[in-house]
Amino acid sequence: MTIKLLYFASLREALGVSGEEIALPQDVDDVAKLRAHLAARGESWQVLEHSKKLRAAVNQSMVGNETRVKDGDEIAFFPPVTGG
Amino acid sequence: MTIKLLYFASLREALGVSGEEIALPQDVDDVAKLRAHLAARGESWQVLEHSKKLRAAVNQSMVGNETRVKDGDEIAFFPPVTGG
Amino acid sequence: MPAVVSAQVSVQQEPFDVSAELKAIAGGRHDIGAVASFVGLVRDLADAKLSSMTLEHYPGMTEKALIEIVEQAKQRWELLGVRVIHRYGRLAPGDAIVLVLVAGSHRGEAFAACEFIMDFLKTRAPFWKKEETPAGGRWVDARDADDAATARWKA
Amino acid sequence: MPAVVSAQVSVQQEPFDVSAELKAIAGGRHDIGAVASFVGLVRDLADAKLSSMTLEHYPGMTEKALIEIVEQAKQRWELLGVRVIHRYGRLAPGDAIVLVLVAGSHRGEAFAACEFIMDFLKTRAPFWKKEETPAGGRWVDARDADDAATARWKA
C-alpha cells in the first residue's frame, strides 16, 4: 500500500524532509509499526520510534500508536503543538 | 449634625426624591438608626428599615448597618446593583 | 523590563471601540502575551419586546467602586494592564454596556482577573438597569447567580 | 426566536480586527448578552531579544482541529456564536497571533467556553512557533501548564 507522510516543525528540520509518498509492506499496518519502519532508515529517524513526545495524525486527526494505517492514508508526525 | 442623603433607582422613584440634606439628632449615629429615623417619616419610607435588600453606602463605599454616621457624611440608599 | 501596571476606569455615555482599547493597552509593548476581554450587551428577550434600557449610576461612587475592584484584581494576579469602561444613560437592544480588558503574561491570569472584575462589578458597582417596554418601565432584578459568582472568589 | 449558532474558523496570515469580528458576531442580534474574548500576542522576553516569530501549521488539519474544538465547546455550553482566527507565518513582537470570541446569553458560559477553546487550541491545534533571535532560531517548547489546563476540562 502507498501512504503520504508529512513532517512538521523541528522534526521536519531534523529529518530534512517535509513530506513524501512511500510504499509500505503489508505488515506495517498501524502507527506503531510505521514508526519502527521509518526508524530503521537511520539515526536521525530513530526519534520517530523512541520519542514519547512526537505526535501522530492519521488523515488530519491526532491519534495514538494503535491506530490502523490503510492504503492512501495521510500520516503526519510532529512535536507537541505550540500555537495560541 | 448635617448629612447628605441620596436615593437611587427604584428606591428613588418610590420615595419621589433623589437627594436631600438633613439635620440629624445626635443619637442617630449609625446606619441602622438612620434607617429607623427615616422610616418614621411614613409608609413609603418604611422599606429603609425593613428591607434586607436595600444597600447603604457611606461616603461612596458600600457598608453594613453598624457603620457610624458622622457630620458631613454622604449617605446613599439603593437596591441591589444590576450593572454589567 | 519592569512591568508597568496601568489601570484605567471610565464611566461614560459614549460607545467604546474594543480594538482601540486593545491597542491602547497593548500597543508598543512586547511583554503582553494574553489579553482577555468581556463585552456585555443589552439583551432583548423574546417575551420582553424591549424598546430601550436606561442605566442609572451613582456618579463618584461608581468610579471609586470600579477602581477598587481593579486594585483587588491587581493584588490577586500579576497583571500588565486593565481597562474598564461602563456606559450609562439610554441604550438600545444590542448596544454594548460594559468592557473589561485584562492584559497579562499568560492567559490563565488574564481570564481569571477578567472574570473576577466582572463578577464584582455585577454586585458592587452602583449601576441600575431599567427596561422600557410597550407595557411600561421595569427595574431589572438583581440575580442570585451574580451573588454566587462573587462569593466563589472568597475561597 | 430560535438561537442561531454560527461557528467560524479562519487560519490566515493577515492581521485581524477585534471590533470588526465582534460586530460580525453580535451586530444586528438582540439575544447576545455576553461576549468573552481572548487575544494572544507575540511576547518578547527580556532575555530573548526576539526579532521575529514564525508560526508553522498543518494546512487542512489546522482548520479541522479548530472546528472540532469549537464543536466540542458548542456541545458543552449553549453558545450563540463563536469566532476563531489563528495567524501563521512571520510575526513581530507585539503582533496578535490568535483571537477567540465567544457569544452567549450570560457571561459564565461565554468565559468558560472561551477558555476551553484556548486550552484545547494550545494542545490540539497543529501550530508550531519558532523564535528568531540574534543567537539563531529556536523552536518554542510545549508547556506542561498547557497540558494541565486541557486536562482539567475532563472532570
Side-chain angles (χ1 to χ4, degrees):
Chain A
M1 58 180 163
T2 303
I3 60 166
K4 183 180 176 186
L5 282 167
L6 297 169
Y7 312 101
F8 290 96
S10 55
L11 179 66
R12 174 178 52 73
E13 288 187 347
L15 300 177
V17 55
S18 61
E20 55 183 324
E21 282 209 0
I22 63 167
L24 274 190
Q26 285 298 333
D27 62 322
V28 181
D29 61 359
D30 67 20
V31 172
K33 288 174 194 157
L34 175 60
R35 284 173 180 260
H37 181 75
L38 293 168
R41 287 175 167 184
E43 197 174 26
S44 65
W45 293 84
Q46 301 205 344
V47 65
L48 279 168
E49 187 173 11
H50 299 300
S51 166
K52 286 185 180 164
K53 288 198 164 181
L54 280 186
R55 307 290 199 259
V58 172
N59 298 327
Q60 307 187 345
S61 288
M62 254 195 262
V63 295
N65 284 330
E66 73 293 348
T67 301
R68 310 303 286 180
V69 168
K70 304 178 310 296
D71 185 52
D73 278 352
E74 174 180 305
I75 299 167
F77 292 103
F78 44 79
V81 303
T82 57
Chain B
M1 58 180 164
T2 304
I3 60 166
K4 184 181 176 185
L5 283 167
L6 297 169
Y7 311 103
F8 289 97
S10 55
L11 179 66
R12 173 178 53 71
E13 288 186 349
L15 300 177
V17 55
S18 60
E20 55 183 324
E21 282 209 2
I22 64 166
L24 275 190
Q26 283 300 331
D27 62 321
V28 180
D29 60 0
D30 68 19
V31 171
K33 288 175 192 156
L34 174 60
R35 284 173 179 260
H37 180 75
L38 293 168
R41 286 174 167 183
E43 198 173 24
S44 65
W45 293 83
Q46 300 203 347
V47 66
L48 280 167
E49 188 174 10
H50 299 299
S51 166
K52 285 183 180 164
K53 288 198 164 182
L54 281 186
R55 307 290 198 259
V58 172
N59 299 327
Q60 306 188 346
S61 288
M62 252 194 263
V63 296
N65 284 331
E66 72 294 347
T67 301
R68 311 302 290 179
V69 168
K70 305 177 311 296
D71 185 53
D73 278 353
E74 174 179 306
I75 300 167
F77 292 104
F78 45 80
V81 302
T82 57
Chain C
M1 198 185 330
V4 180
V5 179
S6 69
Q8 296 288 341
V9 158
S10 300
V11 181
Q12 65 189 40
Q13 288 193 275
E14 300 71 32
F16 50 77
D17 180 75
V18 182
S19 292
E21 299 301 333
L22 179 66
K23 194 175 171 187
I25 219 171
R29 295 182 66 166
H30 296 162
D31 56 339
I32 294 173
V35 180
S37 75
F38 180 82
V39 175
L41 306 152
V42 179
R43 274 210 308 160
D44 184 12
L45 298 179
D47 55 353
K49 308 222 179 289
L50 193 63
S51 42
S52 75
M53 176 175 275
T54 301
L55 270 140
E56 181 172 331
H57 77 118
Y58 180 174
M61 178 171 165
T62 319
E63 293 80 356
K64 194 179 162 188
L66 293 176
I67 288 167
E68 275 174 17
I69 293 166
V70 170
E71 290 302 319
Q72 281 174 38
K74 283 160 58 183
Q75 279 170 26
R76 208 159 165 142
W77 295 278
E78 268 197 45
L79 306 179
L80 299 172
V82 178
R83 181 84 174 105
V84 178
I85 303 176
H86 202 300
R87 296 175 69 191
Y88 66 93
R90 195 180 183 106
L91 301 174
D95 281 356
I97 302 169
V98 62
L99 168 69
V100 176
L101 267 179
V102 178
S105 299
H106 295 288
R107 72 187 184 286
E109 60 218 14
F111 272 121
C114 189
E115 203 162 1
F116 174 95
I117 290 169
M118 274 308 303
D119 285 348
F120 278 82
L121 185 156
K122 280 269 182 185
T123 54
R124 301 289 163 81
F127 290 97
W128 300 273
K129 285 177 183 150
K130 188 177 191 177
E131 295 175 343
E132 297 291 339
T133 73
R138 193 180 69 85
W139 290 96
V140 172
D141 281 329
R143 293 168 71 224
D144 290 339
D146 288 327
D147 287 324
T150 305
R152 74 194 157 124
W153 295 104
K154 284 172 189 160
Chain D
M1 200 185 328
V4 180
V5 179
S6 68
Q8 295 289 339
V9 158
S10 299
V11 180
Q12 64 188 42
Q13 287 193 275
E14 299 71 33
F16 50 77
D17 180 74
V18 183
S19 293
E21 299 301 334
L22 179 66
K23 194 176 172 188
I25 218 170
R29 295 182 66 164
H30 296 163
D31 56 339
I32 294 173
V35 180
S37 74
F38 179 81
V39 175
L41 305 152
V42 178
R43 275 210 308 161
D44 184 11
L45 299 179
D47 56 353
K49 307 222 180 292
L50 193 63
S51 43
S52 76
M53 175 175 275
T54 300
L55 270 140
E56 181 172 331
H57 78 118
Y58 179 173
M61 177 172 166
T62 319
E63 294 79 356
K64 193 178 163 187
L66 293 176
I67 288 168
E68 276 175 17
I69 294 167
V70 170
E71 289 303 318
Q72 281 174 38
K74 282 161 58 182
Q75 278 170 27
R76 207 159 167 141
W77 294 278
E78 269 196 45
L79 306 178
L80 299 172
V82 178
R83 181 84 175 103
V84 177
I85 303 176
H86 202 300
R87 296 174 68 191
Y88 66 92
R90 196 181 182 105
L91 301 175
D95 280 355
I97 302 168
V98 62
L99 169 69
V100 177
L101 267 179
V102 177
S105 299
H106 296 287
R107 73 188 183 286
E109 61 219 12
F111 271 121
C114 189
E115 205 164 359
F116 173 95
I117 290 169
M118 274 308 303
D119 286 348
F120 279 80
L121 185 156
K122 281 268 181 185
T123 54
R124 302 289 164 81
F127 290 99
W128 301 273
K129 285 177 182 150
K130 188 176 192 178
E131 295 175 343
E132 296 292 339
T133 73
R138 193 179 69 85
W139 289 97
V140 172
D141 281 329
R143 293 168 70 225
D144 289 339
D146 288 328
D147 287 323
T150 304
R152 73 194 158 122
W153 294 105
K154 283 172 188 161

